[in-house]
Amino acid sequence: MPEVPIRPHEVTAAEVVPGDLFALTAEDAAERRWHVVTHTLPVSPEVIRVTLRPPLGGVDHEEDLRRERTVTVAGRRVDVDAVPLVEPETLEGAEFRDGDRLTVLRAVDPLAAEVTYVRRWGAWHRDTTESADAEAASDAEVRRWAADAAREGTVVRHEPRPVRQARAAGPRRVVVTGLGAVTPLGVGTGELWEGLLEGRHGIRELTDPEFDGLPVRTAGTVPVDPASLLPRQAARRMNRAAQFAVLAAREAWSDAGYAAGGTRESGLDPERVGVSLGAILGDASVLVGGDRKLRERGPRGVSPLTTPMTVPSQAASQVSLDLHVTGEARTVTSACASGTEAIGQAVDRIRYGRVDVALAGGAEAVITPAIMASFAAMRALAEGDPSEGSPSRPFAKDRDGFVNGEGAGVLVLESEEHARARGARIYCEAAGWGLSADAYHVAAPDPSGDGIALALRRAVRDAGGEVADVVHVNAHATATVEGDLAEARALRGVLGERGGSVPVTALKGHLGHLQGAAGGVEAVAAVLTLHHGVVPPTVGCGEVDDGVELDVVRGGPRALPGSGDLVLSNSFGFGGHNAVLALRRVS
């Protein structure tokens, strides 16, 4: 309707003409309950009959009014022919399914906006990614809305979800079929998952003499020499991060049901398989060691492998060599968001048909004296005795910094049709991901959390979901004061009133901060959370900071709620890199 001010004034019924915006009483006008007069008819010398229709469309009804009766009109005219006649829709026998949409319009209010609801997990939620409703409407309430629509002056429309049809082209659904991990809790996803559920941590004192004199000498180190688990000749040509990556990739490959050895042994076209790994430096010790040998022995003391073993891309290249993957081998470097972004990049490569299968995650080995000293100089490292409990305390009131860590986490991703065609076990759907940048500071996070919130919303939207679908969050939560508060603020803003009830866990109390590998390992844990229906606890968080205001899972594992289907895995890095992965459980 045209934006003409509504100025109610009283007239007699005899003065009402078609086109008037009409309210039977002053109370109706105050409540914005208007009707358009579509027709008038004298019934007797004393009585006039008016036909009324809601101004935004609806059914007609008639009122017999004495001519001298006082009524209210709006001081504006309406084109009667432009007001639609809308018959009420009965939903008494309608079958509702998740994905259905419902539109509700208060048609008696000329200024009303249509509200859309989407049915998810057996209840109706407002269709918005800005915040989630505190309460959802039941099927019975929706049927009552439709039954009362004519009397209440509303228009209710039910839109069944479209039947999914096979498409010849377009984005493909991506699923997770394999998992592999090397972490401070041990080698393998079994060691990782058991340690998470049992509340153990893998943070240790650094006893090597090269760490003597450092103000902080604790880190999350892998308890096994990865070179001892690989053929000697191959291990000599890999840096430590690449060794982690190859071990995790082999486990994920086998877990997905593929043959040992790689693509050819598995009957795959190697050109249709890719690798996408995140790393910040990869293995900083190679360059440090090369520099030391140069100073001690001169140029002849420096190995010719120093340069190829220094580049951050070595992990991705070694995985492609080990499994004979020729489709692509990409490396993503975006600080501590690298692993999550690498998984997101692989999701898109499969979605749009560039490859059918991808090994994706992150690998890092940066526990060196210089890096430890640098973090200590920034006053970013936590202090504490690992034998007395984890020094890393995510979301805790007494947190004082992160613990440097190392390891690798790798997922096998496939297009759904590829996985189902070979009868693969599917853990979950890799449903979407989101990126953003803080543009705030070289190291500190934006305290507003706005950049993080943008990445969260983009991940949910990319997954084709709503914030009402989020059932769990695997938080980045490094246990730094500013970082944890910024993430908590972003989560509360995105989840709305549900922010205090969605279970949140943070794994850096178990593992330390695995840098570029963190997103890969935490994605593995998030997949296992969906698969097993269990949320691991947050180690080290004795008392939650008052400013966090999230449902931080502590003390022991908790059952995953059954009223949603999305799990978010968050990663944020120095310089304002934000990446969020959205995983969806499959039936």
Side-chain angles (χ1 to χ4, degrees):
M1 295 186 64
E3 292 297 326
V4 178
I6 295 177
R7 295 190 176 91
H9 61 279
E10 293 183 345
V11 299
T12 64
E15 297 176 86
V16 171
V17 297
D20 278 343
L21 201 56
F22 170 99
L24 195 60
T25 65
E27 289 76 15
D28 282 351
E31 295 173 3
R32 296 208 303 244
R33 187 176 182 82
W34 297 93
H35 289 80
V36 176
V37 178
T38 62
H39 187 66
T40 61
L41 176 69
V43 176
S44 70
E46 295 81 21
V47 176
I48 186 170
R49 178 171 296 161
V50 293
T51 303
L52 305 172
R53 185 180 302 171
L56 300 184
V59 297
D60 290 346
H61 75 277
E62 295 178 338
E63 295 279 354
D64 286 350
L65 305 173
R66 297 191 65 82
R67 290 177 178 270
E68 68 273 13
R69 174 169 174 173
T70 299
V71 296
T72 302
V73 293
R76 69 193 245 186
R77 304 298 302 283
V78 176
D79 180 1
V80 174
D81 293 334
V83 181
L85 179 64
V86 180
E87 293 298 325
E89 180 177 351
T90 177
L91 299 181
E92 192 56 41
E95 179 183 354
F96 296 142
R97 300 181 301 164
D98 285 353
D100 287 4
R101 301 174 75 83
L102 188 85
T103 59
V104 180
L105 176 65
R106 189 170 183 263
V108 293
D109 181 1
L111 304 180
E114 190 172 70
V115 178
T116 301
Y117 293 83
V118 180
R119 191 176 189 271
R120 297 183 182 279
W121 294 95
W124 296 87
H125 302 267
R126 279 196 179 226
D127 184 16
T128 173
T129 57
E130 295 303 313
S131 64
D133 286 333
E135 295 183 7
S138 66
D139 289 345
E141 288 176 288
V142 165
R143 295 186 199 281
R144 188 163 58 251
W145 292 350
D148 295 343
R151 179 170 54 81
E152 295 292 334
T154 60
V155 175
V156 178
R157 283 287 176 263
H158 172 226
E159 301 172 13
R161 75 180 188 199
V163 177
R164 180 179 291 181
Q165 309 229 345
R167 293 179 292 182
R172 301 186 296 178
R173 194 178 186 208
V174 181
V175 296
V176 180
T177 58
L179 302 172
V182 178
T183 75
L185 289 172
V187 176
T189 57
E191 291 292 320
L192 171 65
W193 188 241
E194 287 177 15
L196 295 180
L197 295 185
E198 292 172 3
R200 291 189 281 110
H201 74 80
I203 297 170
R204 302 169 178 84
E205 184 178 355
L206 299 171
T207 58
D208 193 291
E210 67 178 350
F211 295 102
D212 288 349
L214 293 181
V216 179
R217 299 176 57 193
T218 54
T221 55
V222 173
V224 178
D225 179 7
S228 68
L229 304 176
L230 295 165
R232 184 170 180 272
Q233 188 67 18
R236 288 181 62 246
R237 296 178 178 273
M238 299 182 201
N239 65 32
R240 186 173 174 87
Q243 292 169 0
F244 291 152
V246 167
L247 290 172
R250 286 182 175 182
E251 182 190 12
W253 188 255
S254 174
D255 187 47
Y258 288 117
T263 56
R264 290 173 294 195
E265 292 79 359
S266 302
L268 295 176
D269 179 355
E271 295 182 7
R272 300 297 302 167
V273 183
V275 177
S276 180
L277 294 181
I280 302 175
L281 298 175
D283 184 352
S285 66
V286 176
L287 187 59
V288 172
D291 184 69
R292 182 184 298 121
K293 291 175 181 177
L294 176 64
R295 295 174 186 277
E296 293 174 352
R297 307 179 194 173
R300 292 183 180 274
V302 179
S303 167
L305 293 176
T306 299
T307 297
M309 290 176 63
T310 295
V311 293
S313 59
Q314 219 228 4
S317 67
Q318 287 293 336
V319 170
S320 72
L321 282 166
D322 189 68
L323 297 174
H324 192 67
V325 173
T326 64
E328 55 189 37
R330 62 175 55 230
T331 300
V332 176
T333 301
S334 53
C336 306
S338 300
T340 298
E341 184 174 346
I343 296 171
Q345 296 278 8
V347 168
D348 279 354
R349 300 299 285 175
I350 295 171
R351 272 178 174 172
Y352 298 103
R354 302 298 186 264
V355 294
D356 299 317
V357 181
L359 295 111
E364 200 81 80
V366 290
I367 301 176
T368 67
I371 289 176
M372 292 292 293
S374 173
F375 282 144
M378 296 169 61
R379 299 185 178 180
L381 292 181
E383 300 183 19
D385 184 351
S387 66
E388 297 177 356
S390 176
S392 176
R393 300 185 288 274
F395 292 130
K397 183 174 288 188
D398 62 347
R399 68 194 184 281
D400 64 348
F402 71 86
V403 172
N404 196 17
E406 64 178 4
V410 175
L411 282 63
V412 171
L413 305 173
E414 299 184 49
S415 68
E416 183 182 25
E417 57 265 37
H418 189 278
R420 294 201 183 280
R422 67 183 187 87
R425 180 266 327 279
I426 293 175
Y427 281 107
C428 65
E429 178 187 359
W433 65 298
L435 289 178
S436 71
D438 282 353
Y440 177 77
H441 189 270
V442 67
D446 181 351
S448 72
D450 290 347
I452 295 173
L454 178 59
L456 288 164
R457 292 191 179 101
R458 283 178 169 171
V460 172
R461 189 181 307 122
D462 190 49
E466 305 290 343
V467 291
D469 303 330
V470 177
V471 70
H472 167 58
V473 177
N474 188 305
H476 183 65
T478 61
T480 59
V481 175
E482 297 84 358
D484 287 9
L485 289 177
E487 183 174 12
R489 188 172 293 113
L491 284 169
R492 292 196 308 271
V494 171
L495 296 174
E497 295 185 27
R498 295 179 64 242
S501 61
V502 173
V504 175
T505 195
L507 305 185
K508 291 179 177 62
H510 297 268
L511 308 171
H513 188 353
L514 307 192
Q515 308 297 329
V521 171
E522 288 163 9
V524 169
V527 169
L528 290 171
T529 296
L530 269 178
H531 182 65
H532 294 294
V534 179
V535 181
T538 301
V539 165
C541 184
E543 184 178 358
V544 179
D545 188 318
D546 294 338
V548 170
E549 300 181 68
L550 296 172
D551 181 17
V552 180
V553 178
R554 296 177 295 149
R558 188 191 300 177
L560 186 71
S563 59
D565 65 350
L566 284 183
V567 163
L568 303 181
S569 182
N570 297 346
S571 295
F572 316 119
F574 283 156
H577 297 280
N578 304 310
V580 177
L581 177 67
L583 302 166
R584 175 177 284 118
R585 58 177 146 200
V586 294
S587 55

